[in-house]
Structure formats: C-alpha cells, structure tokens
Amino acid sequence: MNTTWEPAAEGVMQLPSGLLVRGRGLRKPLSPGPRPEFALHLRGRRPAPVDWESRWLRWPDFWLPSDRAGFANALRGLLARAENERVEVACGGGFGRTGTALACLAVLDGVPNADAVAYVRKHYAHRAVETPWQRRFVATFA
C-alpha cells in the first residue's frame, strides 16, 4: 500500500481502502515535500510538462471530460498505481475537475455514488465538484 504521501499533507485524500491520492491546482505553486510519481492532468489544453510521468485528458474548465470512457480507464489505472506510487489528480484550480475525478475515484473504491461528492468535500475540499452537471456525472459514474 502507498505510504509515501502523508495523509495529512496538503491536498492528500485517503480513500476508504487506505489508498492516498493528492488533488492539486496547477495554477498554484507545487507544495513542499515529495513530488508525485504519476499525475493525471485534467485540462482543456495540454498542460506544461512536469518532471514526473503524467497523462493529459481533455476536460474544459467547468464541464465534463471530452472522452468519458478514456477518463474512466485513466482513473482505474491511477487507482492501481496508487497502491505503490505517489499519484495526483490536477486541474487548473484543483476543485471542479479534480474534485469530480476524486469523487469518481471514491466510487471506484467503494463509496456509493450518492455519497461520493460529500465524501470528497469532507476529506479533500469543501469546494470540490463545482457544477450541477459535475455532480450528476458523479451520481451516474460506474
């Protein structure tokens, strides 16, 4: 199990299984401490390169992922990597797209869809999952 993130570190959310995933806003400076080993970047345009492995998925600000099947597959891969690596999910501000992705990760980890947004707002950021359509997306994510 991944023990390299500190559960209380900035932006790190612990899933019910104990896996740790960091959420982050790419417009903010990188916080001190360990760097991720893998990042999933959710942006409308390709983000700047980083010094660790990353994957970009097109997701315009305030909307939903352009490729929903690709997004679901990327989350499953990220969840598997979280067992042995420091992983993060990041968008521009770190709340809407990142919060939505974290809520979908929580669903994959066993949180009921109806409870996933509340789970992320409690364990990551109270502003997570910003739009009604993002909330509906989590409610139907499988």
Side-chain angles (χ1 to χ4, degrees), residues 39-134:
L40 180 60
H41 292 157
L42 310 170
R43 302 287 306 247
R45 295 185 180 151
R46 185 175 301 278
V50 290
D51 294 335
W52 49 88
E53 187 180 353
S54 66
R55 178 175 177 189
W56 167 58
L57 289 175
R58 185 179 305 279
W59 187 336
D61 201 7
F62 297 107
W63 292 99
L64 297 172
S66 299
D67 176 2
R68 294 179 191 187
F71 170 70
N73 287 334
L75 285 187
R76 286 181 180 90
L78 183 118
L79 198 58
R81 291 181 85 140
E83 293 179 16
N84 299 305
E85 297 178 55
R86 289 185 305 273
V87 299
E88 76 172 8
V89 176
C91 67
F95 298 106
R97 294 166 286 186
T98 295
T100 302
L102 291 173
C104 291
L105 279 171
V107 168
L108 292 174
D109 202 54
V111 175
N113 291 66
D115 300 332
V117 171
Y119 183 91
V120 172
R121 287 178 174 171
K122 179 179 180 182
H123 297 281
Y124 171 65
H126 73 279
R127 293 177 44 202
V129 192
E130 295 176 309
T131 68
W133 41 93
Q134 289 172 343

